[in-house]
Amino acid sequence: MCKTNKTNRIYKILLLVFLLFSLKGLSQQEKDTSKIMSVRYGKKGFELQTRDNKFLFQLQSRLQFRFSTPYDTDPLTYDDYSQDAKTTFKINRARLKIGGHAFEPWLKYYWEYELSQSNLLDFRIMIEKWDWLSFKVGQWKTEFTRERFISSGEQQMVERSLINRPFTVDRQLGAEVYGHLKGNGITDFNYWFAALTGTGRGSTSNDDGNLMYFGRAQWNFLGRFLDFEGCDLEFHEKPTPIIAFSAITNRSPYTRFSQAGGGSLDGFEDGLPGQYRVNQWNLETAFMYRGFSWQSEWHTKEIIDKYNNDNMTVMKGYYVQAGYFFHNVFHWWPQHLEMAARHASYRPDYSVRENRQAESTLAFNWFFKGHKNKLTSEVSYFSFQDKTLPLEQGWRFRIQWDISL
């Protein structure tokens, strides 16, 4: 026993000596290290960059604290409107992000990890040497919808709309070619084309021989590109509108996707390999100008059951959303306060007219430091209409603090 304690003391002394010499060595090499690299805190967190710009490492974390009542998630079924109240306070997201470039500034990498659920969300390598032609391989959120592709830390509302769940394609594994065709005025376009596994986040193989194919064309008809983010924090001095059309076709066991991967919409059974052919289209608009922002999407989705006589269900939905910094017109309005509103609606079966779900939301954003540190509060009104059931309605309040470090 004494011998063991003596050995432990010797190890501790040696460790202390090693640390002292290490710290001394680091202090001596500090000047030399500063000659080859720089350390700073930038737009994407802590950044370590070599002086020749061959390598860049960026590290950032993000937390979302949310309070909601009488429930947090959107009501999906008729019974959800009569559920017991569950007022909640939670850490809604806890993300770790790493990105940068290696060997050349145009060879970029990025990965994102959800700490609270132990999920690897994004991992991708991008070759972006030319504006008109870039390549990407890995796993990421497809650019199918503006609402879903905008980071959860740069949204205008606490959360995405009611129609996100039935229409999002979410994260997929695959390869993509994309680019910006910079023309003069009306000849300015962006494009994205991808071949994906079509089986959702975390799936490393396909269920059959069919891939998911995705395409998006975006027309920047005034010659100015509009980034994927909510709110006009940049205060665009010139009108910046876009119109985009995107489409996807896929055959898999799934009728919906989310951060959790592939799943089934209400009314559909868990599928077999290749059971559901899903075709989707989305027409999208967005606009920003002097503190005003607008975005909208119109969706159509066909679900064809290939194992049951090609039975087809057609879903349609839309949302419109706008926000404004009213200090531009009212001197008494706080400069960092934005008001925004959204209305969303969809029909899970377009052949049944008396079948509709809708959401209307009013939100206020207080930006302490842009999207990196903001407080968002919102109140939402939901309605559920079904031809066989009485009309159901409900209210919800949420407040969220989003901070990136």
Side-chain angles (χ1 to χ4, degrees), residues 8-271:
N8 289 337
R9 284 197 297 271
I10 293 173
Y11 283 150
K12 291 178 180 178
I13 293 172
L14 290 174
L15 179 60
L16 179 60
V17 172
F18 174 76
L19 290 174
L20 290 174
F21 275 103
S22 297
L23 291 173
K24 183 180 180 181
L26 287 173
S27 62
Q28 291 175 345
Q29 297 174 14
E30 185 175 355
K31 288 187 177 180
D32 295 332
T33 303
S34 64
K35 293 179 181 179
I36 62 173
M37 66 178 62
S38 63
V39 180
R40 63 181 182 271
Y41 185 83
K43 293 177 64 177
K44 296 186 177 181
F46 292 96
E47 298 181 349
L48 180 65
Q49 184 177 18
T50 58
R51 293 297 183 183
D52 60 6
N53 198 27
K54 293 289 186 179
F55 294 87
L56 172 65
F57 177 84
Q58 299 166 316
L59 175 65
Q60 186 179 67
S61 61
R62 180 163 62 87
L63 295 170
Q64 277 187 355
F65 301 94
R66 180 184 295 180
F67 170 84
S68 56
T69 185
Y71 44 76
D72 182 46
T73 58
D74 294 339
L76 304 175
T77 67
Y78 185 82
D79 292 336
D80 288 343
Y81 287 85
S82 57
Q83 63 180 309
D84 294 334
K86 295 180 180 178
T87 298
T88 59
F89 176 79
K90 66 179 183 179
I91 299 178
N92 190 60
R93 290 180 175 92
R95 300 281 173 86
L96 180 65
K97 303 178 180 182
I98 292 179
H101 60 254
F103 305 107
E104 297 290 347
W106 45 263
L107 183 57
K108 302 178 181 180
Y109 63 91
Y110 179 83
W111 67 268
E112 184 172 344
Y113 193 82
E114 174 56 56
L115 299 171
S116 63
Q117 300 176 10
S118 298
N119 286 335
L120 180 57
L121 301 179
D122 290 60
F123 55 91
R124 58 184 185 267
I125 300 293
M126 295 84 72
I127 301 174
E128 297 182 343
K129 188 174 184 178
W130 311 283
D131 289 335
W132 62 276
L133 182 63
S134 298
F135 303 93
K136 177 163 56 180
V137 62
Q139 178 177 278
W140 68 93
K141 286 187 293 185
T142 60
E143 297 85 354
F144 179 64
T145 72
R146 184 176 189 84
E147 181 183 44
R148 184 66 183 101
F149 191 76
I150 291 176
S151 168
S152 56
E154 297 183 347
Q155 296 176 147
Q156 199 165 35
M157 305 290 187
V158 168
E159 195 56 87
R160 298 175 178 94
S161 72
L162 180 73
I163 72 167
N164 177 69
R165 183 178 186 270
F167 293 106
T168 183
V169 182
D170 215 83
R171 290 176 169 88
Q172 303 287 340
L173 184 68
E176 184 175 75
V177 57
Y178 55 103
H180 186 184
L181 306 177
K182 295 182 178 180
N184 294 321
I186 62 173
T187 60
D188 193 291
F189 291 88
N190 286 84
Y191 70 90
W192 295 261
F193 297 104
L196 310 159
T197 58
T199 47
R201 187 207 64 82
S203 178
T204 58
S205 62
N206 204 351
D207 60 306
D208 56 17
N210 299 288
L211 292 174
M212 172 186 282
Y213 296 101
F214 155 71
R216 174 187 172 95
Q218 178 174 302
W219 184 24
N220 313 308
F221 56 87
L222 291 185
R224 292 181 283 273
F225 175 76
L226 187 62
D227 205 356
F228 288 92
E229 62 180 355
C231 317
D232 186 17
L233 287 172
E234 297 179 13
F235 201 78
H236 290 72
E237 290 292 348
K238 296 182 179 180
T240 307
I242 64 101
I243 296 176
F245 177 79
S246 53
I248 277 182
T249 183
N250 185 41
R251 187 168 174 179
S252 75
Y254 309 116
T255 54
R256 63 173 292 265
F257 293 99
S258 68
Q259 181 181 303
S264 298
L265 289 168
D266 297 317
F268 293 89
E269 298 178 352
D270 293 340

Side-chain angles (χ1 to χ4, degrees), residues 338-350:
E338 180 200 39
M339 184 171 72
R342 177 177 68 203
H343 179 72
S345 177
Y346 86 101
R347 289 163 62 179
D349 188 344
Y350 196 67

Side-chain angles (χ1 to χ4, degrees), residues 153-157 230-233 291 293 324-325 334-340 364-376 401-402:
E154 297 183 347
Q155 296 176 147
Q156 199 165 35
M157 305 290 187
C231 317
D232 186 17
L233 287 172
S293 61
Y324 190 57
F325 289 90
Q335 182 178 358
H336 301 290
L337 180 63
E338 180 200 39
M339 184 171 72
F364 292 89
N365 290 301
W366 187 280
F367 296 95
F368 301 104
K369 189 66 175 179
H371 284 297
K372 301 301 181 185
N373 188 0
K374 66 179 180 181
L375 187 68
T376 304
W401 180 31
D402 195 303

